[in-house]
Amino acid sequence: MRPYAMMVNLEQKHCVVVGGGQVAERKIASLLAAGAAVSVVSPSCTEAMREWEQAGKLTLRLRPFVPDDVADAVLVIAATSDPAVNLAVYEACRQAGCQWINVVDRPDLCSFTVPSVVERGDVTVAISTGGNNPGLAKKLRRQLEAWIGPEYEDYTLFLGKMRRRVLALDELRPADKRAILAELLDDRFLHWTRSGESERRDREAAALVAGWLERQEKA
């Protein structure tokens, strides 16, 4: 069975992470970045988790896991080093009716897996091997990070700004707007972004739009 790929809005959704080590810390960091309301359950935790709690970013329960911890959770991640505890979290989720459970190193118990991700501003590229080969996913992520460089953050902002501007031009036909947006994807605009020539990029983009408007006026 092939998993269904989707992006999920977790803002203010209650998510539970069971575990206090480095693996759990990475999972928590991603959930916090997504705006989730995170609860962490573990007898011990990393320093980063304590700092997040002190900053009011999460709820920390420094004790062993109990089934009631997942009672109202939308999403649960079992990330301990104890297989028995992870299995207990899975069973508690089944009893509580929690649909989204991830058990680290047990893809057979997961209703979702967490992909390896490359993020550049609004661009997110996710690589998944279905939980069967995380090493390959990490290798592919490193390769993509080299190809999709940090300039893509500014580049996507530029494209978004231009798209909104073009779509707002009532003088142009839908086909003309699609043609302009397609030309803005030409590599020269990415090159100017990468080389720091943002003023030239913006100037050329404005000239491109002006040219289409002028042709429309003469038509």
Side-chain angles (χ1 to χ4, degrees):
M1 182 181 64
R2 182 178 296 275
Y4 181 77
M6 65 180 183
M7 305 293 285
V8 181
N9 180 3
L10 291 178
E11 187 172 4
Q12 295 305 309
K13 302 293 193 303
H14 184 206
C15 299
V16 174
V17 177
V18 182
Q22 293 299 321
V23 173
E25 182 182 306
R26 291 196 297 272
K27 306 294 186 182
I28 294 165
S30 297
L31 291 172
L32 292 176
V38 180
S39 296
V40 180
V41 182
S42 177
S44 61
C45 68
T46 67
E47 185 60 31
M49 295 180 199
R50 292 185 184 277
E51 292 175 359
W52 286 329
E53 182 198 31
Q54 291 170 2
K57 294 182 178 181
L58 55 75
T59 299
L60 185 59
R61 299 171 179 143
L62 291 175
R63 56 165 174 74
F65 169 78
V66 295
D68 283 348
D69 288 326
V70 301
D72 61 346
V74 172
L75 179 151
V76 176
I77 297 177
T80 81
S81 57
D82 187 335
V85 174
N86 289 342
L87 183 59
V89 175
Y90 169 76
E91 293 294 347
C93 287
R94 290 185 60 192
Q95 293 295 322
C98 178
Q99 296 296 315
W100 301 110
I101 169 72
N102 176 271
V103 182
V104 295
D105 297 329
R106 286 292 304 271
D108 57 310
L109 299 182
C110 296
S111 59
F112 77 97
T113 56
V114 181
S116 191
V117 173
V118 176
E119 293 181 313
R120 298 288 188 256
D122 291 335
V123 173
T124 301
V125 181
I127 308 107
S128 173
T129 59
N132 292 312
N133 201 323
L136 175 59
K138 291 178 182 178
K139 176 182 178 180
L140 292 172
R141 185 198 69 208
R142 288 193 295 268
Q143 293 173 341
L144 284 170
E145 284 174 337
W147 179 48
I148 306 174
E151 70 276 4
Y152 271 82
E153 181 171 355
D154 183 36
Y155 181 54
T156 55
L157 290 175
F158 157 74
L159 290 175
K161 178 185 69 175
M162 291 304 303
R163 182 176 184 273
R164 291 188 293 272
R165 177 181 173 186
V166 170
L167 293 180
L169 294 173
D170 295 332
E171 307 95 313
L172 296 177
R173 299 172 301 174
D176 296 334
K177 295 178 182 181
R178 289 193 295 269
I180 294 172
L181 294 176
E183 190 166 350
L184 287 169
L185 291 174
D186 185 88
D187 283 347
R188 68 184 188 276
F189 292 100
L190 174 59
H191 169 75
W192 289 325
T193 304
R194 182 180 289 124
S195 62
E197 299 175 86
S198 58
E199 291 185 3
R200 180 181 179 184
R201 177 201 65 195
D202 294 347
R203 187 170 61 250
E204 293 288 344
L208 170 63
V209 174
W212 276 90
L213 288 171
E214 183 178 350
R215 287 197 291 273
Q216 182 63 28
E217 290 176 358
K218 292 178 178 179

